[in-house]
Amino acid sequence: MSTTSSPSGQAASRRRDPQDLTRKGQRTRKSLVDAARAVFYEQGYIDARLSEVTERAGVSTGTLYTYFDDREQLLAAIIDDAYARSVRPAGSRPADVGDPFRRIFNGNRRYVEAYRQSSDLMAIFDQAEYLDEALKARRMARASDFAQRNAQTIRRLQDEGTVDRGVEPLIAAQALSFMVSTQCRYVYVHAPDPSCADAAGAQALADHLTRLWFSALGVDPDPLLETFIAEAEQAGADADDAEAPGDEQVQAAD
């Protein structure tokens, strides 16, 4: 369903891979996506006017239609950006590749934190998917992608003899993945929970969801969580030390 039509006589989609654009084109496209995110949140996806998006981005209506056919394509671009950050946000490290349990722990922390930071968009998506079957299908495809990757992790653990072979990997992955996403939707969109509102609260939520993950797979969560949380705290402390100025820098600043 399209709530806003593109100019008549131009049936071909204008939605191109951002990598195919010039740097100026990429900047213009990003300004439109950022403006749409703000306007959709402030006015609601249904009531938002594309003229407000172009005004916020500082471009003409014609420029908008150079990059997007309609609001559905704008929303799809916002989804792509949010999905990319939830899978591997800026600053994350691929150090957990060799350890399936650590990957679950880190993956849940990244997902919950990304959801916390994008709760405004998630509210928009919930509203929009009732009007747009393509958007609903897109979100389900994203969820399926997460579940498939988690199923691969469970299969690997079964091959190592760590997880009960009687567990069907895909069913378990779907159930556990949806547990995480549904809980995030509840505490960040439908019934905002102040205890989860900051980064520390998001970590606590993610760690409890990870506890449920490990327990459901028949694994004692306590030693794993104790190790992973300690490692994460140490990594955070190391990062703080690396960013803190040394004595000579303090003196130079004085």
Side-chain angles (χ1 to χ4, degrees):
M1 172 179 177
S2 176
T3 54
T4 301
S5 300
S6 57
S8 61
Q10 300 183 30
S13 174
R14 299 171 183 79
R15 189 163 186 256
R16 295 179 291 169
D17 188 330
Q19 299 302 319
D20 295 336
L21 301 173
T22 64
R23 289 185 179 180
K24 180 179 179 181
Q26 290 177 4
R27 289 194 299 270
T28 300
R29 183 183 183 279
K30 184 179 185 303
S31 70
L32 285 164
V33 172
D34 291 345
R37 172 174 178 161
V39 172
F40 288 171
Y41 175 62
E42 294 167 6
Q43 299 182 3
Y45 178 73
I46 298 173
D47 297 326
R49 296 174 300 167
L50 294 188
S51 60
E52 181 68 24
V53 173
T54 57
E55 181 178 343
R56 187 77 60 95
V59 301
S60 67
T61 300
T63 297
L64 183 148
Y65 286 119
T66 298
Y67 297 92
F68 302 101
D69 287 337
D70 46 38
R71 74 181 62 211
E72 285 83 357
Q73 287 191 355
L74 273 168
L75 186 59
I78 297 171
I79 293 173
D80 287 342
D81 179 65
Y83 176 73
R85 286 185 287 108
S86 69
V87 172
R88 187 165 300 284
S92 64
R93 299 175 300 175
D96 56 354
V97 171
D99 186 335
F101 290 114
R102 185 174 279 103
R103 185 160 63 248
I104 292 170
F105 171 82
N106 288 338
N108 282 341
R109 278 199 168 191
R110 286 195 294 262
Y111 181 87
V112 174
E113 177 60 19
Y115 208 111
R116 181 183 75 86
Q117 294 184 15
S118 301
S119 58
D120 57 337
L121 293 182
M122 299 307 173
I124 294 170
F125 296 164
D126 281 353
Q127 181 187 60
E129 72 176 11
Y130 287 105
L131 303 173
D132 188 343
E133 288 298 323
L135 171 61
K136 184 176 182 179
R138 189 180 185 84
R139 293 190 78 186
M140 291 303 297
R142 297 301 197 194
S144 177
D145 181 38
F146 275 116
Q148 290 288 350
R149 291 191 292 118
N150 286 331
Q152 291 177 0
T153 297
I154 294 173
R155 290 189 187 96
R156 176 178 173 181
L157 292 169
Q158 288 176 323
D159 291 341
E160 295 174 353
T162 309
V163 171
D164 180 6
R165 291 182 180 274
V167 172
E168 205 295 313
L170 184 57
I171 292 176
Q174 288 171 336
L176 293 169
S177 298
F178 286 132
M179 172 191 71
V180 175
S181 62
T182 301
Q183 183 65 17
C184 285
R185 181 178 298 173
Y186 182 75
V187 302
Y188 289 119
V189 175
H190 296 307
D193 185 344
S195 69
C196 302
D198 59 12
Q203 285 187 358
L205 172 61
D207 293 348
H208 192 77
L209 292 170
T210 298
R211 174 179 292 278
L212 296 175
W213 249 93
F214 291 165
S215 297
L217 296 177
V219 177
D220 182 1
D222 289 324
L224 291 171
L225 283 172
E226 182 178 351
T227 297
F228 298 155
I229 291 172
E231 290 176 351
E233 290 175 349
Q234 183 59 53
D238 291 344
D240 290 341
D241 289 343
E243 293 174 0
D247 291 341
E248 68 282 358
Q249 291 173 298
V250 173
Q251 293 170 0
D254 291 340

